[in-house]
Amino acid sequence: SPTFMWAPIGIGIASVVLLFAVFFLLLASIEKQRTAAAAKITGYTAQIEEALAKLTREENAKNEFISMLAHELRNPLALFENSLELLLLDLRGNPNAARLVSVMRNRIWTMARLLDDLLDTSRVTQQQFDITRTRTDMRDAARAVVSDVKTLMASHRHTLHAIIPDHELPIEGESLRIQQIILNLLVNAAKYTPDGGHITLELGREKNSIALHVSDNGHGIPTHMLPLIFQPY
């Protein structure tokens, strides 16, 4: 009878279909687990990359801070060096005092060399640092620096002419940083101007801005270096 002939065949097909269904469900489950595992790995990789990027930024910021600090400390040391040299000349009749000043001078030279080493090993990309902004008068900053560099100028026999107006020149900024900028300009002018030179600092208002001009009769910056003067070191 056809009934007895087709029943086994129908049961066999159903078993095969069920087997394939179970197989595909198993494959789908495996693929789902693989996709989930891949997503987790991708997430972990992104977290690791983000952590490494953060460490790199922090390391660069730290190195930049050290480099900037070393650069800013180097110029005040130059003033100390010149002051001690002149002091030694005045103490030639006092051996004990001269010996103490000589020791101080040698220690300053050592510090200067260490700071130079920091500058050589800390050349990194520019980072942003917090600055405490307060209202300050640019004239006060300029006068303070002009007073500080008198000894340095005298040691090179330079004539420093400071042109500072009588009216207030208010600015929002950090007074110490402003003084460092002016100090760097004057120290560089003294350093690269032949002895007996003339250096001028002029401070004033130009339209809605405050302008600071430092000029000297030295050799100046080579033309090919002008595009690089605002790059760190």
Side-chain angles (χ1 to χ4, degrees):
S1 170
T3 303
F4 293 106
M5 290 179 63
W6 284 101
I9 295 175
I11 294 173
I13 293 175
S15 299
V16 171
V17 171
L18 179 60
L19 181 62
F20 273 106
V22 171
F23 180 74
F24 281 117
L25 285 173
L26 181 61
L27 285 180
S29 176
I30 293 173
E31 178 61 20
K32 184 177 180 180
Q33 292 178 7
R34 189 196 68 80
T35 303
K40 286 184 179 181
I41 292 174
T42 302
Y44 293 148
T45 301
Q47 290 177 10
I48 292 172
E49 290 176 349
E50 183 180 351
L52 289 175
K54 182 180 179 181
L55 287 174
T56 300
R57 290 193 301 268
E58 291 176 351
E59 182 68 13
N60 287 340
K62 181 193 70 175
N63 289 337
E64 178 64 10
F65 175 76
I66 293 173
S67 183
M68 291 174 63
L69 181 62
H71 186 263
E72 297 303 335
L73 287 175
R74 191 61 180 85
N75 282 332
L77 279 180
L79 301 179
F80 286 129
E81 290 176 14
N82 284 281
S83 297
L84 290 174
E85 290 290 346
L86 295 177
L87 187 57
L88 277 174
L89 294 176
D90 293 337
L91 294 175
R92 284 176 294 185
N94 190 334
N96 290 331
R99 179 181 59 81
L100 293 175
V101 172
S102 179
V103 171
M104 294 169 59
R105 180 192 59 184
N106 292 339
R107 296 291 75 78
I108 287 179
W109 284 348
T110 300
M111 292 175 61
R113 286 193 295 270
L114 291 174
L115 289 173
D116 287 339
D117 290 340
L118 282 177
L119 285 172
D120 290 338
T121 57
S122 300
R123 300 177 187 274
V124 292
T125 57
Q126 182 71 31
Q127 296 287 329
Q128 296 295 323
F129 295 95
D130 292 334
I131 295 179
T132 304
R133 297 177 180 272
T134 57
R135 181 183 173 90
T136 185
D137 191 339
M138 277 286 289
R139 298 178 305 163
D140 295 337
R143 288 167 181 157
V145 175
V146 168
S147 177
D148 288 342
V149 299
K150 283 183 178 179
T151 302
L152 174 63
M153 296 297 173
S155 67
H156 290 283
R157 293 181 285 105
H158 292 324
T159 299
L160 174 60
H161 184 40
I163 303 174
I164 300 176
D166 294 330
H167 56 272
E168 183 184 16
L169 295 174
I171 187 174
E172 290 290 330
E174 189 170 310
S175 179
L176 178 60
R177 298 297 181 187
I178 295 171
Q179 290 185 34
Q180 286 176 334
I181 293 171
I182 302 173
L183 177 63
N184 289 343
L185 291 171
L186 290 180
V187 168
N188 285 338
K191 185 186 302 183
Y192 297 107
T193 299
D195 288 356
H198 297 276
I199 299 171
T200 300
L201 179 149
E202 184 175 0
L203 189 63
R205 187 183 296 277
E206 294 183 1
K207 296 183 179 179
N208 295 325
S209 301
I210 295 174
L212 171 70
H213 298 276
V214 174
S215 58
D216 57 65
N217 62 341
H219 300 297
I221 301 174
T223 303
H224 70 279
M225 292 296 293
L226 289 176
L228 308 176
I229 59 175
F230 290 110
Q231 294 186 9
Y233 319 112

